Each structure stands twice: as C-alpha cells, then as structure tokens.
Amino acid sequence: DIQMTQSPSSLSASVGDRVTITCRASQDVSNYLAWVQQKPGKAPKSLIYGTSRLQSGVPSRFSGTGSGTEFTLTISSLQPEDFAIYFCHQYNTYPVTFGGGTKIEIK
Amino acid sequence: EVQLVESGGGLVQPGGSLRLSCAASGFTFSDHYMDWVRQAPGKGLEWVGRTRNKANSYTTEYAASVQGRFTISRDDSKNSLYLQMNSLKTEDTAMYYCARITTTHKRADYWGQGTLVTVSS
C-alpha cells in the first residue's frame, strides 16, 4: 500500500497568515492527489484534486502543487472558516490511502 | 444538488452483522462508481472499498482490513448503495461515509454526513 505522510500534524496560525501543508507519498502517485477539508462533526469536503485543480466553489486562496511523491496545499490568506483538519489522499493505486491529517488551529 | 444520506448504523456486538445504506439523489447514480470511507473516533480517514458502475460490471475493490467480511453492493433502480458488514470487530467502530466518485478523474467529490457504527459488548 502507498503510505501518505502529512506534515505538520497540527499548526497554530492567525487570520490572514499564509499556511502550507506538505504531503509525501511512499511511491509515485503521478498527479492523482487530492485534498479534503473536515470540520468538527462534519463530513469531509473536497477541496483540490489532480494535485492542483480546485473543486467547484472552493475559494481561490486554496492552491495545490507537486508531482510524483511530494505535494503541498497552500492557503494564501487564512480565513476564520478555514480552521479545520486537512487530509491528503492518493487515488492512483488501490487501496486509496489518506494522510494522517493536519489540524489548523487558531493562534 | 448532490445528496448522499447514510443510514443503518448502530450498536452491535463483536461478531455481529450490520447493513448500511446510502441514498443518493441529485445526479445520475448509475453512471458513478461509489466508495465507502470510515473514520474511527478521533482518528483519520480510512478507505473501505468501492463499487464500479454497470458499464464496469459492478466490480468491487476492498481494503485488506475488511476483505472477506464486508460486501459493497448497489441498486441503481433505487439510487442506493449498501455496505454489508459481517464478523464485526471492535476496531470497526467508526463513522461510515459514502462518497460519489467522479466519472472522469475517479476521485471522491461529494460525501454524505455519515452513520455511526459502534461494535461493543
């Protein structure tokens, strides 16, 4: 199975900050990498797919880059509604595998 | 509007069985692959398995942790997805989500609100 490793596991940030989360795959997943956001008690919400493509309706402050085994999610200017947990996942190979998550907390 | 509504969760003893359902609306269900994903309390997301569509013979894929115990099925006439869970273990305790898979990129784009399964004696 492909292991997905996210860093950091948590971070504290302020509204307006630029935030970057890293996701590393144990094998090449090409560009089949997605990011989801989850708020407490809520279902996951798709943010980015294909490494850098924004899900319809997702604000442009979210962006994704990378290829192969190393990927990043960047929030250019953190907003109050962005405090949540973010998970990367690869869908290049079965089984689909998720990173452990990154919790963004209010500083 | 795409809607996915899971049901059927509850408390079950170890070794028992449970069948989850996911009612879909707002899109052509029969065109799409569908996934089940679970999340143990306070933990991350774990993919459970997938069913493909009729064009791909309704074939399925499973995580090793549930292979041979869980079965995914669907009824396109009812726009419904199912997860039959047998020989349940305490480690199967989780919120179970169904997710729609896009027809082109084969990734999850919409998720239901989940149904909670608790395996305990």
Side-chain angles (χ1 to χ4, degrees):
Chain A
D1 297 1
I2 297 176
Q3 293 192 7
M4 307 300 293
T5 304
Q6 282 183 240
S7 60
S9 57
S10 66
L11 64 91
S12 295
S14 301
V15 172
D17 283 353
R18 181 183 182 88
V19 169
T20 297
I21 300 168
T22 298
C23 177
R24 289 186 174 86
S26 61
Q27 301 173 39
D28 188 342
V29 299
S30 184
N31 70 333
Y32 295 103
L33 189 286
W35 294 91
V36 300
Q37 176 195 65
Q38 188 178 35
K39 296 181 179 179
K42 300 295 186 181
K45 173 188 171 184
S46 176
L47 292 178
I48 287 174
Y49 65 97
T51 298
S52 60
R53 302 182 186 189
L54 253 60
Q55 173 75 22
S56 175
V58 172
S60 59
R61 62 181 179 272
F62 291 91
S63 64
T65 61
S67 67
T69 61
E70 188 150 342
F71 303 88
T72 60
L73 171 70
T74 298
I75 309 172
S76 60
S77 178
L78 203 62
Q79 297 303 301
E81 59 267 31
D82 301 337
F83 291 94
I85 301 176
Y86 294 82
F87 295 93
C88 64
H89 72 273
Q90 66 81 20
Y91 52 99
N92 183 60
T93 307
Y94 291 111
V96 171
T97 47
F98 290 84
T102 296
K103 184 175 184 179
I104 299 180
E105 298 176 302
I106 301 173
K107 195 171 194 177
Chain B
E1 179 192 4
V2 173
Q3 285 200 331
L4 299 168
V5 180
E6 301 90 340
S7 61
L11 175 64
V12 60
Q13 291 188 337
S17 297
L18 208 57
R19 188 196 197 206
L20 306 184
S21 300
C22 170
S25 60
F27 64 100
T28 305
F29 179 75
S30 59
D31 285 347
H32 290 261
Y33 297 8
M34 297 292 296
D35 278 8
W36 286 100
V37 176
R38 68 185 180 181
Q39 187 171 34
K43 302 296 184 181
L45 299 168
E46 180 188 14
W47 181 78
V48 172
R50 172 170 296 177
T51 176
R52 296 181 179 88
N53 55 14
K54 181 178 180 179
N56 290 277
S57 305
Y58 298 125
T59 51
T60 53
E61 305 284 345
Y62 296 96
S65 58
V66 306
Q67 179 79 47
R69 300 188 299 122
F70 289 12
T71 301
I72 298 173
S73 62
R74 61 192 294 164
D75 185 337
D76 290 349
S77 69
K78 296 182 179 179
N79 290 339
S80 292
L81 174 72
Y82 305 103
L83 180 65
Q84 177 68 44
M85 303 185 294
N86 298 330
S87 303
L88 282 161
K89 305 175 182 180
T90 55
E91 53 264 40
D92 295 319
T93 294
M95 184 71 77
Y96 284 75
Y97 299 100
C98 63
R100 186 183 83 160
I101 302 303
T102 60
T103 55
T104 51
H105 230 252
K106 297 296 185 281
R107 52 98 191 181
D109 62 348
Y110 287 95
W111 307 64
Q113 289 301 306
T115 187
L116 181 63
V117 173
T118 303
V119 185
S120 175
S121 54

